[in-house]
Amino acid sequence: MFPLLKTGGLADVAGALPLALQQAGADVRVLLPGFAPVLADLEHAVLVADVVSPWGSTSHLRFGRLRSSGLPAYVLDAPHYYQREGSPYEDAKRRAHADNHRRFALLGWVGAKLSHGLDKTWQPNIVHSHDWHAALTPAYASFAGAAGAAPVQVYTIHNLAYQGLFSRAQFVELGLPAKAFAIQGLEFHDQMSFMKAGLFYADHLTTVSPSYAQEIQTPEQGCGLDGLLRERSACLTGILNGVDETVWDPAQDPAIVATYHAQRPQGKTRCKAALQARMGLAVQPNALLFGIVSRLTEQKGLQLVLSAVDDLLAWGGQLVVLGSGDPALEQAWRQLAIDHPGAVAVHVGYDEDLAHQVFAGTDVTLVPSRFEPCGLTQMYGLKYGSLPLVHRVGGLADTVEDCSLENLDSGRANGFVFHPFQVNALRRAIERAFALYKRSAQWRAVRSGAMRQPLGWEAAASQYMALYRSLLAK
Ligand code: ADP
């Protein structure tokens, strides 16, 4: 949950959605694993219960208020699981923790306990779990067999490609009934899939864009779960994520050298010069500057950019990349910067402030993902007037309209879209970006429209609220 801990977009959503729901009138509480920054942020904590897991470990469930956001929060205080070096999933040498099945099953176990009255002072009527990490919540809840009205279980897929797969032997440790290890359950090719547990046992499913909700029902993008998703399509809804405008707003962003907004965009010129200088690029105001802020993984399609970059540079462009991930991709980008000093700059690592500076300083944000459940960086590009150039897929297709003549005419254009996922299609989209940039009045008009687009969380929150109400009315 941003700003406490973040490896990608899930943290941005977890940080913003509960607050947006609260503003829409919901009585929201969050449940989080007690990673060090989370526990340190919890104020006025009281012990709710000592919880014994099915495999016999004891942890403390605390309830308090998060200092950073004011949100009421349950935090699982289990130092033997959550107080470790490295990322939430891996050790400092990037190896997955051997007990990840227990670390995240515990979250689901406690989610299910809270569903069924663990806190005598507060009872949810909707329990909403996010991604494979929390996906055992509806599974444990469905086997809890508790008396009384059970809350509605909603489960959101943030990325179907990360499933939380574990062995049959690990399944046996988790205390679910043996019958759950079946096709009609959470079994997936003789493994246990946390993701499938969410998809199978939740009452309602959502995912983070309308296009992705359709795409995951096809064999191409279903990651082997498209059959189940087709069966459940009547209770699968796509709701587009929003932008946390308290964090991502060029008019009041402390991480950038000059603030700006659609009516007064001048500050963006200073941001561009500062970014070029910081990153060792030639400080040229008129060079079309492309930016990438991304995890470096196969999903993000950046191989395609490596294939098109010679043209981008030949046409006078510059490129700045901020990313980390796959070591081979990190190395490929480092090499590109060495080969093109002054024109390509690469920062391998994770840097929140620099991410803001890249969106503020660039003219175009590149998001050529092979698949993209929603994507947040193209929306940050829109907010910061860095026109997104995207592959037409998932949430990218739902948020970016190409600068075709008809879209320019109607005022819908806000970026550049290519399809199919091929280097020639990308190259032509890059060419369109240069063509529009030459028509500077038109460029400014499109950029201004992009920056004024409403992208906040209100729309998503009201759709979730309508969904919750309709589920409760059933
Ligand atoms: P995903 O969740 O697949 O990584 P999203 O576009 O939904 O993709 O969200 C990515 C989030 O992670 C954004 O907030 C983006 O700014 C941030 N991000 C990705 N890579 C980096 C990085 N190297 N440094 C800083 N922020 C990054």
Side-chain angles (χ1 to χ4, degrees):
M1 175 185 264
F2 184 86
L4 304 176
L5 197 58
K6 168 168 168 178
T7 63
L10 181 58
D12 288 348
V13 176
L17 176 59
L19 288 168
L21 291 171
Q22 204 176 46
Q23 267 160 25
D27 175 12
V28 186
R29 297 184 175 191
V30 296
L31 167 63
L32 297 164
F35 295 107
V38 176
L39 271 175
D41 198 52
L42 189 70
E43 289 184 325
H44 313 301
V46 295
L47 183 70
V48 178
D50 286 333
V51 185
V52 181
S53 69
W55 53 95
S57 69
T58 301
S59 32
H60 313 295
L61 182 66
R62 305 193 189 284
F63 175 72
R65 203 164 282 277
L66 297 175
R67 189 180 305 116
S68 52
S69 58
L71 270 175
Y74 295 101
V75 177
L76 253 172
D77 185 0
H80 48 296
Y81 286 136
Y82 305 130
Q83 305 270 352
R84 294 184 187 175
E85 295 285 301
S87 84
Y89 319 115
E90 298 172 333
D91 65 19
K93 290 189 175 142
R94 295 191 183 176
R95 290 172 308 208
H97 293 302
D99 57 354
N100 272 345
H101 61 300
R102 290 184 173 192
R103 298 171 75 228
F104 292 101
L106 184 63
L107 185 63
W109 175 251
V110 175
K113 290 256 169 213
L114 281 169
S115 306
H116 289 286
L118 181 64
D119 184 347
K120 300 281 175 280
T121 66
W122 192 80
Q123 171 62 35
N125 41 33
I126 299 277
V127 174
H128 189 161
S129 341
H130 292 270
D131 242 10
W132 73 262
H133 322 72
L136 290 197
T137 307
Y140 280 125
S142 90
F143 294 113
V152 178
Q153 298 284 341
V154 179
Y155 175 67
T156 294
I157 308 157
H158 290 263
N159 192 334
L160 197 63
Y162 298 97
Q163 297 196 3
L165 290 177
F166 300 96
S167 69
R168 184 193 284 261
Q170 289 168 321
F171 164 79
V172 172
E173 294 171 28
L174 300 185
L176 284 158
K179 68 175 181 194
F181 200 84
I183 296 216
Q184 297 297 315
L186 52 67
E187 188 248 339
F188 184 71
H189 300 286
D190 208 34
Q191 289 189 292
M192 155 174 60
S193 164
F194 274 44
M195 175 66 76
K196 191 176 167 206
L199 303 185
F200 188 82
Y201 292 105
D203 299 306
H204 194 93
L205 309 176
T206 80
T207 190
V208 288
S209 69
S211 287
Y212 194 60
Q214 295 305 314
E215 290 164 0
I216 55 179
Q217 297 180 48
T218 66
E220 294 74 35
Q221 285 214 49
C223 301
L225 293 166
D226 46 293
L228 174 56
L229 287 161
R230 282 194 300 276
E231 267 171 41
R232 300 219 61 193
S233 66
C235 43
L236 169 61
T237 314
I239 298 179
L240 204 59
N241 286 334
V243 169
D244 186 341
E245 289 169 326
T246 64
V247 179
W248 297 98
D249 178 5
Q252 44 187 10
D253 186 334
I256 62 180
V257 295
T259 53
Y260 58 93
H261 51 83
Q263 288 76 31
R264 286 181 59 90
Q266 292 78 357
K268 190 164 172 67
T269 312
R270 279 184 58 203
C271 291
K272 180 171 178 178
L275 180 68
Q276 287 169 321
R278 169 173 179 181
M279 298 300 291
L281 294 168
V283 182
Q284 292 169 349
N286 294 324
L288 187 59
L289 178 52
F290 294 77
I292 293 171
V293 178
S294 184
R295 289 184 299 115
L296 301 180
T297 62
E298 182 70 10
Q299 175 196 339
K300 297 297 177 179
L302 299 171
Q303 216 64 41
L304 217 56
V305 178
L306 286 169
S307 307
V309 77
D310 284 345
D311 291 305
L312 187 158
L313 299 177
W315 294 328
Q318 296 180 338
L319 175 62
V320 50
V321 180
L322 166 61
S324 64
D326 178 349
L329 280 172
E330 289 181 352
Q331 188 45 36
W333 284 107
R334 281 200 185 98
Q335 189 58 47
L336 191 78
I338 292 168
D339 294 344
H340 300 283
V344 177
V346 174
H347 181 97
V348 171
Y350 198 92
D351 187 326
E352 200 66 33
D353 281 354
L354 182 55
H356 286 244
Q357 290 159 19
V358 170
F359 293 116
T362 51
D363 301 299
V364 179
T365 294
L366 288 170
V367 196
S369 309
R370 286 175 189 277
F371 66 93
E372 193 58 79
C374 176
L376 292 171
T377 54
Q378 83 281 10
M379 295 203 254
Y380 301 157
L382 291 169
K383 286 260 2 153
Y384 282 72
S386 177
L387 299 183
L389 189 158
V390 307
H391 177 213
R392 195 184 75 214
V393 76
L396 302 173
D398 293 341
T399 49
V400 184
E401 295 280 349
D402 188 65
C403 281
S404 62
L405 285 177
E406 66 274 25
N407 285 343
L408 284 169
D409 236 17
S410 68
R412 283 199 307 272
N414 63 4
F416 311 94
V417 181
F418 70 93
H419 190 78
F421 186 79
Q422 285 170 3
V423 67
N424 277 335
L426 170 64
R427 214 177 264 130
R428 278 197 298 277
I430 293 174
E431 226 179 332
R432 279 202 297 290
F434 278 98
L436 188 72
Y437 195 56
K438 273 191 226 149
R439 295 158 172 78
S440 56
Q442 219 163 9
W443 179 277
R444 285 196 300 274
V446 172
R447 189 179 65 182
S448 165
M451 292 176 68
R452 279 185 279 115
Q453 229 173 292
L455 293 168
W457 270 99
E458 299 77 18
S462 79
Q463 288 175 74
Y464 281 114
M465 291 296 275
L467 174 67
Y468 297 154
R469 285 198 185 96
S470 75
L471 292 170
L472 288 174
K474 271 187 190 165

